[in-house]
Amino acid sequence: MKSINIQKKHAEFSTQWHPHQIATVDDMQVLLAKIQGEFVWHAHEHEDELFQVVKGTLYMQFRDRTEIVNEGELIVVPKGVEHNPKTAEGEEVHLLLFEKQSTAHTGDVQHEMTKTSYPKI
């Protein structure tokens, strides 16, 4: 058991839209990600997802609205809700994600951005 410095862990990678696992809690995983631009519309049928903004501003798009999530804030996307995270043009956003280990990166959607495994750092 050691403390984890989230900023230092974010500094260990530069890839965008590819989460990195920093811890597990029972059947949950704690991930860090760097994102820029727009992702892909998707949903997770059986899992909720928590997004905490460590740096920047996240625009979580839903089919009926967009929620703005500022630095230091978080949003929980309930299971089954279609969503698409994005950033302002040119801004890189740093996230902490909390989700079940069984959660597929892009749900049932297969896309060139889909990742099937997350590096552990």
Side-chain angles (χ1 to χ4, degrees), residues 47-115:
E47 301 96 3
D48 299 332
E49 269 187 306
L50 180 148
F51 295 76
Q52 179 182 1
V53 178
V54 176
K55 176 184 169 192
T57 302
L58 172 66
Y59 296 85
M60 185 61 74
Q61 300 177 104
F62 299 103
R63 289 298 183 182
D64 63 343
R65 72 188 187 288
T66 298
E67 290 290 329
I68 299 171
V69 188
N70 295 300
E71 194 169 302
E73 296 178 342
L74 62 83
I75 189 168
V76 175
V77 178
K79 60 181 141 259
V81 175
E82 196 173 19
H83 59 286
N84 185 15
K86 71 178 251 183
T87 70
E89 188 172 331
E91 180 181 25
E92 181 176 79
V93 174
H94 295 188
L95 301 173
L96 181 143
L97 308 163
F98 191 67
E99 61 189 32
K100 288 183 180 178
Q101 293 187 46
S102 61
T103 304
H105 191 221
T106 53
D108 291 337
V109 175
Q110 289 302 311
H111 188 273
E112 64 186 23
M113 297 175 83
T114 301
K115 305 299 181 212

